[in-house]
Amino acid sequence: MKKVSLLVYHGEYTNVLEKLRNLGVLHVEVGESELSTENVAKITKINHLKNLVNEMDSRRTDEEIAPLISDGEELMKRIEDLNHQVTILSQDISSLEKEKESVLPWGSFNPETIEGIRKAGYHVQFLICEDKNWDEQWREAADIELVNQEGSEMFLMAVSRGDKLTHPNLDEVELEHAASFFEVQIQEKQKELDRVNASLDEISLYATKVLEQTIAQLESEINYAKVFNSGEKVADDKLVVLTGWIPAKGQEDFTGALDQEALVYTIDAPTPEDDMPIKLKNSRFARLFESIGELYTLPNHKELDLTPFFAPFYMLFFGFCLGDAGYGLLIVLGTLWGLTKAKPKIKPLLWLGFFLGLSTTIMGILGGTFFGIMFGKDAVTGEYIQPWFKEYQNYVLNTDNLMVLSLVLGYIQVVFGMILKAVNLARVYGFKYSIAQIGWIIIVAIAIPAYGLGSQGMIDVALGNQIAVVAGVIGAIPALLYNTPGKNILLNFGTGLWDSYGMASGLLGDVLSYIRLFALGLSSAILGSVFNSLAMDLSPDTVVLRQLVMILILAFGHSLNLFMALLGSFVHPLRLTFVEFYKNAGFEGGGHKYEPFSSK
């Protein structure tokens, strides 16, 4: 990155900003400032538009048409109006349904006939009472008929001349319409609701693109306002100083464009004190894992980007934790199908899922499990189908081997992190600052393994001890006596002793932390096997019913196991990366992303 400082006459400031935005290269240093009321309103509108995009996406089919309304504001208002109509119509239908339910016990009647009887001088009453309160004497006051009874409630109709029938145990209900009236009303409202929903469905075929353009426009306006306010006014506000960063690779094109506009500027190399933005440069494979690294923080501008270094480990650890070829195959097929349907911006995440699924499949094959079933075993008898399957399982799926493998992988990643720390120290501060770290690497990567292999009889004991002593001495000299270049030897020795305590306690804990890979993989396989056993043991002996119950238990059990295993397989490798690996690699982080000022 190169630091750019522009000196602009205040009268030309707006035009210069527009030209810089069109170039789309300069990352302007924007200070912390309070958002204006106008920008707060724009942010609120952006959030509202994003909600509308999600709503339209939920309605959209694969079909796509040219926008019938191309103005974002007009389209937003149209969608809001239609949504309001949907709300009103839904409420009307709900109210009509309730009124219909209230008159259903009275059956079908003609309100005009009822009105005709009333005009003839009779009282027509709709009454409700509890059956335990029924009184035969009511028949002396009116012609009363039982229309319906639901539970203990009696629905009565009374016709009388003179005084109306009244009693504390009788509740009179005013009925203006029969159920058929409300049914017609509901059907009409439902037709209107269907028409409005059809309009929304049609809009959804093009709305996302128009609304996203509007969101981008609003975000561009907010960004422009931030950049505009970031200029420092000098010389009695006659001049404005604008500071930013550009990639070193595009410097010539950028300065050429500034020269054409006769702008006054300076280009400087960054100093250690500068807080320049970060633009990651990774291979296509490593780029897939950048989203994982950003969950923690970006590297600062002085240190290595660790994304390409943790990516293979993360992929391997995910497969180790999930560790079932069947589950891995499901993820691979699911992500491949998703790649044929997803939007371009989602595809990198699907490719990431594909590689994680591939790793899971490979680890499942090495571990010998497929949906909780051991390779080569008969699902009913539990016996091996072929003898070589048993040999394969004994060799690969030995739990002791898995546990050792998880610790060895952890040891390798920790040592790898230490090597990266030495490289980073040499890059940033000079080689002499990495010498002590190299000493620790010699001790951890050579002396300790040599002693361990010798004590376990894997190599000659004497040879192992000799290598351990020689490597230990070679490593200990710089680690204890040259860990703070430029300081006196006593200070170096004291610091070295403190580092030794930290290394002894931290290294053991870091490596042991990787045993979680073994534990998660084992628990996933055991749970899958348990659900298989439950499906076999709990299913009844009836032919068709047995298969149905087995399918239900297997579907539920493996779905639950897969969900829990996926969660653990994502989170725990994340912890190993951000805690154990980053710590040993001396990762500091705290960088901020390179975001050029542009009109996108």
Side-chain angles (χ1 to χ4, degrees):
M1 287 282 173
K2 295 289 185 181
K3 188 174 185 178
V4 179
S5 298
L6 286 146
L7 190 63
V8 185
Y9 179 63
H10 73 95
E12 294 293 321
Y13 188 48
T14 305
N15 292 333
V16 170
L17 284 183
E18 193 59 40
K19 286 164 186 170
L20 290 173
R21 184 158 68 169
N22 291 334
L23 288 174
V25 178
L26 184 67
H27 174 103
V28 180
E29 286 188 345
V30 179
E32 296 290 335
S33 60
E34 192 173 339
L35 287 171
S36 65
T37 306
E38 184 183 1
N39 283 338
V40 170
K42 286 178 180 175
I43 290 174
T44 304
K45 183 180 283 186
I46 287 172
N47 291 331
H48 179 54
L49 285 167
K50 287 180 177 176
N51 289 333
L52 291 182
V53 169
N54 291 334
E55 181 196 332
M56 291 295 102
D57 281 345
S58 67
R59 287 177 172 271
R60 195 178 66 175
T61 61
D62 292 337
E63 186 183 355
E64 191 169 345
I65 62 173
L68 302 176
I69 302 174
S70 56
D71 182 80
E73 294 285 340
E74 185 183 349
L75 182 61
M76 180 181 72
K77 189 173 183 313
R78 176 64 176 155
I79 295 173
E80 287 173 344
D81 288 344
L82 290 172
N83 277 338
H84 180 68
Q85 290 180 43
V86 168
T87 302
I88 297 297
L89 288 168
S90 298
Q91 290 174 350
D92 288 348
I93 291 172
S94 178
S95 298
L96 289 168
E97 291 280 4
K98 288 179 181 174
E99 291 192 59
K100 177 187 166 186
E101 289 294 323
S102 69
V103 301
L104 272 178
W106 304 98
S108 177
F109 61 90
N110 189 342
E112 293 179 357
T113 303
I114 300 295
E115 188 60 26
I117 295 172
R118 283 172 175 161
K119 285 182 178 176
Y122 292 90
H123 297 293
V124 180
Q125 294 173 269
F126 296 93
L127 304 166
I128 300 175
C129 81
E130 293 289 323
D131 55 1
K132 64 182 179 182
N133 298 324
W134 168 256
D135 189 345
E136 281 292 336
Q137 291 184 356
W138 292 340
R139 294 189 182 279
E140 297 176 3
D143 291 330
I144 187 166
E145 290 292 335
L146 176 64
V147 178
N148 193 11
Q149 182 163 0
E150 293 181 356
S152 61
E153 277 191 325
M154 300 172 69
F155 297 88
L156 308 168
M157 184 174 178
V159 179
S160 59
R161 194 177 182 91
D163 294 335
K164 293 174 69 174
L165 175 62
T166 58
H167 192 276
N169 291 330
L170 287 172
D171 294 326
E172 185 171 356
V173 181
E174 293 294 334
L175 299 180
E176 296 182 359
H177 304 288
S180 57
F181 171 82
F182 294 108
E183 183 60 35
V184 171
Q185 294 289 312
I186 290 170
Q187 289 177 2
E188 290 177 355
K189 295 286 184 183
Q190 187 61 51
K191 286 180 182 176
E192 182 66 12
L193 181 60
D194 292 343
R195 186 189 64 76
V196 176
N197 276 321
S199 298
L200 284 168
D201 289 341
E202 183 184 50
I203 289 174
S204 72
L205 299 178
Y206 63 86
T208 300
K209 189 175 180 181
V210 177
L211 295 176
E212 285 181 343
Q213 286 173 349
T214 307
I215 291 172
Q217 176 63 30
L218 290 170
E219 289 175 338
S220 177
E221 290 173 7
I222 294 172
N223 190 36
Y224 182 87
K226 287 181 180 176
V227 171
F228 184 89
N229 294 327
S230 67
E232 182 186 357
K233 295 178 180 177
V234 296
D236 294 333
D237 295 346
K238 298 295 183 186
L239 298 173
V240 181
V241 178
L242 196 65
T243 307
W245 297 88
I246 59 168
K249 192 175 180 181
Q251 180 181 340
E252 290 186 6
D253 293 339
F254 182 74
T255 53
L258 296 186
D259 291 338
Q260 284 184 354
E261 300 297 331
L263 293 174
V264 179
Y265 64 90
T266 61
I267 302 280
D268 300 303
T271 63
E273 292 74 26
D274 282 328
D275 184 20
M276 64 179 181
I278 302 299
K279 184 180 182 183
L280 301 180
K281 293 180 181 177
N282 287 308
S283 65
R284 292 180 64 182
F285 173 74
R287 267 204 302 273
L288 301 176
F289 292 83
E290 287 179 358
S291 57
I292 291 177
E294 288 175 11
L295 290 176
Y296 184 68
T297 177
L298 286 172
N300 63 51
H301 65 278
K302 294 183 289 188
E303 61 189 354
L304 284 170
D305 172 23
L306 297 183
T307 306
F309 304 111
F310 78 69
F313 283 103
Y314 187 89
M315 181 177 157
L316 178 62
F317 293 166
F318 184 94
F320 205 123
C321 290
L322 200 50
D324 186 288
Y327 293 165
L329 205 57
L330 269 183
I331 298 172
V332 168
L333 295 176
T335 50
L336 285 176
W337 178 81
L339 284 167
T340 64
K341 304 287 184 184
K343 296 178 181 177
K345 64 181 179 182
I346 304 295
K347 287 188 176 180
L349 289 176
L350 290 173
W351 275 116
L352 175 62
F354 170 80
F355 284 111
L356 296 179
L358 192 63
S359 168
T360 304
T361 306
I362 294 171
M363 290 303 297
I365 293 172
L366 292 176
T369 55
F370 186 84
F371 287 111
I373 302 171
M374 305 288 281
F375 279 174
K377 270 193 172 182
D378 188 289
V380 178
T381 64
E383 298 295 327
Y384 287 101
I385 300 171
Q386 295 292 332
W388 68 269
F389 273 123
K390 186 175 181 179
E391 296 297 322
Y392 172 76
Q393 294 288 351
N394 288 336
Y395 182 74
V396 177
L397 195 60
N398 182 294
T399 51
D400 291 339
N401 289 342
L402 280 176
M403 187 176 70
V404 172
L405 179 60
S406 65
L407 293 174
V408 169
L409 286 173
Y411 190 79
I412 291 172
Q413 193 183 35
V414 166
V415 172
F416 186 52
M418 294 173 68
I419 294 172
L420 291 174
K421 183 178 181 180
V423 173
N424 204 38
L425 287 170
R427 283 179 64 251
V428 177
Y429 302 106
F431 177 72
K432 64 181 181 181
Y433 287 89
S434 67
I435 292 176
Q437 181 66 16
I438 293 172
W440 282 116
I441 293 170
I442 293 172
I443 295 172
V444 175
I446 301 176
I448 294 176
Y451 176 78
L453 293 173
S455 64
Q456 294 297 314
M458 299 177 73
I459 61 174
D460 182 73
V461 177
L463 177 63
N465 289 339
Q466 286 175 1
I467 295 173
V469 169
V470 172
V473 171
I474 293 173
I477 292 173
L480 290 174
L481 304 176
Y482 198 64
N483 49 66
T484 314
K487 302 295 181 183
N488 68 64
I489 192 166
L490 290 177
L491 180 61
N492 272 278
F493 184 68
T495 307
L497 287 178
W498 178 252
D499 289 346
S500 301
Y501 168 75
M503 183 63 70
S505 58
L507 181 65
L508 182 63
D510 290 346
V511 175
L512 286 178
S513 188
Y514 286 79
I515 207 167
R516 71 188 63 225
L517 299 174
F518 157 73
L520 284 167
L522 190 63
S523 63
S524 172
I526 290 175
L527 275 176
S529 176
V530 167
F531 283 118
N532 292 338
S533 299
L534 287 175
M536 296 293 293
D537 297 340
L538 298 182
S539 301
D541 291 332
T542 309
V543 177
V544 177
L545 189 59
R546 178 178 175 79
Q547 279 74 26
L548 286 174
V549 173
M550 282 181 65
I551 291 171
L552 285 175
I553 294 176
L554 289 174
F556 172 77
H558 282 288
S559 298
L560 181 65
N561 190 33
L562 178 59
F563 172 73
M564 293 169 62
L566 278 173
L567 201 61
S569 302
F570 176 75
V571 171
H572 287 280
L574 214 59
R575 178 242 150 82
L576 294 174
T577 301
F578 293 158
V579 179
E580 278 76 14
F581 179 59
Y582 273 19
K583 183 184 78 175
N584 286 284
F587 183 79
E588 295 177 359
H592 57 280
K593 202 169 187 176
Y594 167 72
E595 293 177 330
F597 177 46
S598 67
S599 57
K600 68 177 181 179

